Amino acid sequence: QFSDGSWSEAKLVALVDALMAKRDKLFAEFSPQDLARAQIVAQFGSALNGIRGEHERVDFDRLRRIAASPFIAMTQFKLKQAAKRGAKVDPRKVDAVVAALREIPRDKPFKSPEIAPDLDSYESIAALIAAARVVTKKPVSIKFAVGDAEDLLAFLRFLRDAGALPDHIQLDGRGDDFSPGSGNAPPGANTSLPANEAIIVADALLKKLGVRERIFLEATGDLMLPTEAVEKLALGADGVCGARLWMGMGLGCAKVKACAGGNCPYG
């Protein structure tokens, strides 16, 4: 979307140069061999940014190209954005860089759906997991919050019987301090189980179905301290993931809570 010699292109080039300089400074202590071992997870939410094809469906050719990178350890699909019924990006935030990364029109609002069409039923999720594993030749993960234990049992049983269990499950769900179940819901909404209870439920149900050893169960939920990680491991998780605090610190977030209005003083 950039014209050669345009002001938009110049701003993007300057931004990339600044980011690369910071990267080089940050990683100065690492050798090329260290950096060559870096692994990331390619996560796709309901908007399918990066692999969105016609009719908002997964473009498997694009997924294959992304997964071919030696730095991609696995792909992950975030099942839905239930707490906020999807997400709308304010047009004032859709500058040239955002438009290019999300592949959307500039200066226009964009709506991420609550659920992607390829994730709208047990059958479609099972088909996507199976297809993604074949296409990427790498592990496949799904990310969700636990709402109802009986629903989760039915969901996991369906995936097991369909031969489409994921290799990895990341349990979403904030802790107790804001809105258990989601960082996107209003305070007190209790949209789903807090992280600790979700771990106990998921661990028990996977054992009940006889597939616990086949799935790596990862817990989130505002992990800030080592003790919180140990607690989640003791409750049944195989590993933990902490991101919100560190992303917020990196962005200079001061919890103004003006995200949706486009009026964040920190940008």
Side-chain angles (χ1 to χ4, degrees), residues 58-242:
V58 174
D59 184 325
F60 286 101
D61 287 332
R62 303 185 71 188
L63 177 62
R64 182 185 293 106
R65 288 195 294 271
I66 291 174
S69 168
F71 298 108
I72 298 295
M74 70 177 176
T75 56
Q76 181 180 85
F77 298 99
K78 180 180 176 182
L79 297 191
K80 64 190 303 186
Q81 295 191 110
K84 52 186 179 182
R85 296 293 184 263
K88 183 178 180 180
V89 181
D90 189 291
R92 291 172 293 176
K93 292 184 176 183
V94 186
D95 58 15
V97 175
V98 171
L101 290 173
R102 295 196 179 204
E103 299 173 327
I104 58 178
R106 288 180 57 181
D107 304 318
K108 294 183 179 180
F110 178 73
K111 181 76 161 58
S112 295
E114 177 184 347
I115 305 172
D118 283 312
L119 296 166
D120 63 0
S121 67
Y122 290 1
E123 292 81 4
S124 60
I125 294 171
L128 180 58
I129 291 172
R133 187 177 287 127
V134 171
V135 167
T136 65
K137 299 181 174 62
K138 291 181 178 179
V140 177
S141 168
I142 55 176
K143 177 181 181 180
F144 58 85
V146 177
D148 180 86
E150 291 186 4
D151 288 344
L152 179 59
L153 176 60
F155 176 50
L156 294 174
R157 180 181 286 124
F158 183 92
L159 295 182
R160 181 198 65 181
D161 294 346
L165 281 170
D167 304 283
H168 176 280
I169 289 176
Q170 185 179 82
L171 289 177
D172 204 355
R174 195 174 171 115
D176 298 321
D177 65 316
F178 183 72
S179 176
S182 175
N184 293 318
N190 296 332
T191 56
S192 50
L193 291 182
N196 286 354
E197 287 85 343
I199 296 164
I200 295 170
V201 169
D203 178 62
L205 295 183
L206 290 170
K207 288 176 179 175
K208 179 180 178 67
L209 293 171
V211 296
R212 181 64 185 87
E213 73 286 352
R214 293 166 55 183
I215 295 176
F216 189 98
L217 186 62
E218 183 179 72
T220 65
D222 280 0
L223 278 83
M224 301 181 194
L225 302 173
T227 50
E228 294 169 329
V230 172
E231 178 181 43
K232 287 172 171 53
L233 294 173
L235 291 174
D238 295 310
V240 298
C241 174

